[in-house]
Amino acid sequence: MRVLGIETSCDETAAAVVDGSRGLLSNVVSSQLHLHRKFSGIVPELASRAHLQKIASVISAACEEAGSKRLDAIAYTQGPGLMGPLLVGKVAAQTLSRILGVPLVGVNHLEGHIFATELTEELRFPLVALIVSGGHTDLVLSRGPGRYRVLGRTRDDAAGEAFDKVARMLALGYPGGPVIDRRARSGDPRAVDFPRPFMPGTWDFSFAGLKTAVLYHLQRRGGRKPEAQETDDICAAFQEAIVDTLVEKTLRAAREFKVKHVALGGGVAANSRLREMLAARGIDNGLRVVMPPRGLCTDNGAMIAQVALHRLSRRRVDKNFRSDPAMTFHSWGA
Ligand code: KG4
Ligand code: ZN
């Protein structure tokens, strides 16, 4: 079974071909970062237009790189995401599915982030997944492909959004995550004692207070621009606070639900301190922690195709399977 996965939910126009037995055959990602950088965030209208311009060439490149004309199914990101960009991917996928006469599978973007790991490693269930991206911070309990319970999510800023906003306060550019990650390596995480928003009694997250604590810290300095070393220290202390919170809640959830496996996904999963702390503390707690290679953390078509492979294989055993993209949403919220 060979699936073309199309991802256009935000600012990457992406397509990939994944083979059920041979794995990843191609993975093409066209980033729009250069278009949005000067606005310090994604402009939906610009994103839609750029997807329209790029979608055909990205799909052609993915098929060509895969070195095969055969496709057994077309998968696309159904949501969540920006409406215009999602529609571009959906129409492209529907058109290809009709022309080739192969099944069409709509995939939940967050489910995709969980399954990105499976492109290089085995996922074992039940597991607790932490999905951290520019738009989401979700803690999910999964008993197998298609079986999810969202334990908690952010009540305000997503983890990636907090990285992006703090980077903007420090005039470090957009996107903020990679640059804070890099600057933090030369900083002292104990230089500033930022709060850890653990929020006991709920699996939800909240990062708005932490972000405001960074703002107050900068204001207390009387508007003076921090020196390079001070900036590195603020980056390290902020990153430590956010990573500590994410790791602690994920490990608590694994303990509470008696789960031995933890998976990480989403753009912020590329963060070096998050990867390091989750892996180390996972070992201390007797857990198997898996995460995608850095290049598959941010949005890509391969993770979408990977979810579709599971859905299509279940079709053989599940009489109720319909090529109904909404199905994923129902199981996601259950
Ligand atoms: O998953 P993704 O590509 O798009 C969404 O679905 O949102 O995630 C993008 C987010 C951005 O907020 C970016 O700042 C963050 O992931 N990010 C990082 C790192 N690389 C990307 N955050 C922290 N550390 C990184 N190394
Ligand atoms: Zn994403």
Side-chain angles (χ1 to χ4, degrees):
M1 173 75 61
R2 193 162 287 187
V3 178
L4 171 72
I6 299 172
E7 153 62 39
T8 60
S9 66
C10 194
D11 61 338
E12 329 272 7
T13 313
V17 179
V18 180
D19 184 290
S21 41
R22 287 177 52 207
L24 187 60
L25 299 185
S26 66
N27 188 27
V28 178
V29 180
S30 167
S31 172
Q32 303 176 2
L33 267 182
H34 60 286
L35 288 177
H36 303 287
R37 193 164 269 136
K38 61 175 173 287
F39 302 101
S40 296
I42 312 297
V43 182
E45 176 65 15
L46 285 182
S48 306
R49 286 171 189 272
H51 282 304
L52 262 179
Q53 273 167 5
K54 291 280 177 184
I55 189 77
S57 60
V58 166
I59 291 174
S60 300
C63 292
E64 215 164 283
E65 206 178 298
S68 153
K69 289 206 163 46
R70 200 194 92 216
L71 289 174
D72 302 305
I74 312 293
Y76 70 99
T77 300
Q78 198 199 26
L82 299 169
M83 191 47 76
L86 286 169
L87 274 171
V88 175
K90 178 177 179 169
V91 170
Q94 276 177 333
T95 308
L96 276 172
S97 144
R98 288 278 170 91
I99 291 171
L100 299 175
V102 296
L104 177 68
V105 186
V107 170
N108 182 297
H109 182 76
L110 300 176
E111 194 178 8
H113 275 307
I114 297 178
F115 279 86
T117 295
E118 219 185 28
L119 292 155
T120 52
E121 270 193 80
E122 189 195 350
L123 272 184
R124 294 191 202 146
F125 297 89
L127 60 78
V128 164
L130 174 69
I131 310 160
V132 268
S133 71
H136 297 272
T137 306
D138 284 21
L139 201 53
V140 176
L141 175 66
S142 173
R143 304 229 168 258
R147 298 173 66 198
Y148 310 105
R149 180 174 151 205
V150 179
L151 301 173
R153 41 177 49 139
T154 184
R155 294 187 181 175
D156 38 60
D157 292 335
E161 198 180 350
F163 270 98
D164 294 337
K165 287 179 175 170
V166 166
R168 198 186 312 167
M169 287 178 209
L170 293 166
L172 293 177
Y174 178 86
V179 63
I180 289 184
D181 191 350
R182 187 161 31 81
R183 296 290 297 256
R185 279 176 217 154
S186 340
D188 175 4
R190 289 155 308 176
V192 193
D193 190 16
F194 287 128
R196 268 76 173 147
F198 289 128
M199 309 232 299
T202 169
W203 297 112
D204 282 350
F205 297 92
S206 166
F207 295 115
L210 172 58
K211 182 191 68 188
T212 310
V214 178
L215 180 68
Y216 287 165
H217 176 77
L218 291 171
Q219 283 174 350
R220 269 197 299 275
R221 306 174 64 273
R224 191 170 50 85
K225 204 168 169 276
E227 307 285 325
Q229 185 58 51
E230 283 177 279
T231 301
D232 293 351
D233 289 346
I234 295 169
C235 287
F238 161 76
Q239 178 178 271
E240 197 70 9
I242 203 163
V243 167
D244 221 3
T245 309
L246 291 169
V247 170
E248 179 61 31
K249 290 199 80 143
T250 305
L251 298 183
R252 276 187 207 170
R255 214 175 302 133
E256 170 86 15
F257 294 97
K258 300 185 174 44
V259 157
K260 286 280 164 223
H261 307 287
V262 169
L264 182 65
V268 182
N271 183 269
S272 46
R273 183 66 183 133
L274 175 58
R275 298 172 79 87
E276 177 187 61
M277 195 192 286
L278 189 62
R281 293 195 46 204
I283 291 172
D284 293 346
N285 285 269
L287 299 168
R288 178 175 175 265
V289 176
V290 290
M291 52 190 87
R294 271 202 178 78
L296 291 172
C297 289
T298 41
D299 295 346
N300 61 81
M303 66 188 199
I304 302 304
Q306 187 65 24
V307 173
L309 278 168
H310 279 287
R311 294 264 297 279
L312 292 159
S313 70
R314 283 210 303 281
R315 187 180 196 171
R316 282 183 219 122
V317 289
D318 180 358
K319 286 201 178 67
N320 293 324
F321 181 95
R322 286 173 296 138
S323 189
D324 171 12
M327 195 176 87
T328 320
F329 282 107
H330 298 154
S331 55
W332 185 258

